[in-house]
Amino acid sequence: MICGQLPPAQNGADQLPWRHAWADLGDEFGRARSARRHSRRDRRCAGRARPGRREHPRGGERRGSLPQVTIGKIAGFARGAGNEFLMYLDMRFAAIGRSGQAQPEAVMDILPGGGGTVHMARLLGRARALELILGGELVDAELAERYGLVNRAVPANEIDAFVDRLARRIARLRPEVVAAIKATVETITPKIPHQTYAVENAALFSLFTYDMVASAHKQLAAGVQTREGERDLERILDNL
């Protein structure tokens, strides 16, 4: 949900930070080698950037810098890339008794890419980010609110009306007002250094090993990334 006048459509392929498709393991190392080459190229390009020149932000960072307000409503499970996407948004609201958020990558022998490690630390602080990333716990709405992962936990039968009412109130404001307030808030919000994402990606690539591939095959055989498996993911991973 985006409140305000929308900008021209952008190429959808450029909207999200790069992530590996977890289920396609047929050519893991070929893709990892290719990704490493791209990562090295990106670092070389960053090194050649002229002083004072603003680097182009990636997809998630673009959402954060939009003059419009982005709102996420969670009434189901959001793990991995789904939760990473939510953390890029301006606001998030979770349905009590229905929502769950997690970064289970550590249990899968990798780490959250796509800004997941970076943004969880930004939103929750160091200690709580370590708890949720290393523990891989599925967080309910109440705990997500208490930890700062969402703005508010809302009763499931009220969340649609609540978010709709908030979005309509914001949409009634002049776009210039929304943009000015958001820009002002952004100036006092600590920025994430761009190189932090490169550190995250480098750490992710370093974990693409034969042991990780063997672990991934075991997880897929146990039902990970099936509809039923995703409903009970934490139990499946804990029992492997």
Side-chain angles (χ1 to χ4, degrees):
M1 182 178 294
I2 300 179
C3 299
Q5 185 177 0
L6 292 175
Q10 300 179 23
N11 180 0
D14 194 36
Q15 295 302 296
L16 285 174
W18 175 91
R19 276 186 68 85
H20 273 274
W22 181 247
D24 183 8
L25 295 170
D27 191 25
E28 310 89 344
F29 290 108
R31 291 200 306 275
R33 285 194 296 270
S34 174
R36 281 194 292 270
R37 285 195 296 271
H38 285 294
S39 179
R40 287 194 294 271
R41 183 196 66 191
D42 291 345
R43 289 196 294 272
R44 288 196 298 271
C45 291
R48 291 197 295 268
R50 293 195 296 271
R53 182 178 180 181
R54 184 175 182 271
E55 292 186 42
H56 291 292
R58 299 197 176 191
E61 294 169 276
R62 288 194 185 101
R63 273 184 292 281
S65 61
L66 283 171
Q68 297 80 23
V69 173
T70 55
I71 303 174
K73 179 173 62 178
I74 311 160
F77 292 164
R79 300 187 184 94
N83 193 51
E84 287 160 10
F85 174 84
L86 287 166
M87 288 191 288
Y88 277 108
L89 303 182
D90 294 316
M91 307 179 201
R92 293 159 297 280
F93 300 93
I96 296 173
R98 291 182 59 187
S99 75
Q101 295 168 258
Q103 297 295 153
E105 288 89 345
V107 190
M108 296 175 162
D109 290 327
I110 57 174
L111 61 77
T117 304
V118 172
H119 287 281
M120 189 164 279
R122 175 179 62 88
L123 290 171
L124 276 61
R126 181 180 183 276
R128 286 175 169 175
L130 287 172
E131 175 193 344
L132 297 191
I133 294 172
L134 294 174
E137 178 184 359
L138 186 66
V139 176
D140 62 23
E142 292 93 337
L143 185 59
E145 179 190 62
R146 191 156 69 247
Y147 272 27
L149 192 55
V150 299
N151 290 59
R152 209 185 282 205
V154 184
N157 63 343
E158 299 176 15
I159 191 166
D160 288 341
F162 174 86
V163 174
D164 186 65
R165 185 167 59 251
L166 173 64
R168 289 180 183 278
R169 288 176 65 86
I170 296 172
R172 284 199 298 267
L173 301 173
R174 288 193 298 121
E176 296 85 356
V177 173
V178 175
I181 291 173
K182 187 172 175 181
T184 303
V185 171
E186 288 292 326
T187 63
I188 61 172
T189 303
K191 304 297 181 189
I192 296 175
H194 194 73
Q195 62 267 26
T196 305
Y197 298 102
V199 172
E200 181 185 79
N201 277 341
L204 175 63
F205 294 143
S206 74
L207 298 174
F208 288 131
T209 65
Y210 284 105
D211 288 341
M212 181 280 292
V213 174
S215 175
H217 280 295
K218 288 172 60 178
Q219 293 161 22
L220 292 172
V224 169
Q225 290 216 332
T226 64
R227 181 176 177 81
E228 292 307 314
E230 291 299 310
R231 292 176 180 273
D232 199 19
L233 181 65
E234 285 71 28
R235 186 191 62 80
I236 291 174
L237 293 176
D238 286 346
N239 288 335
L240 288 177

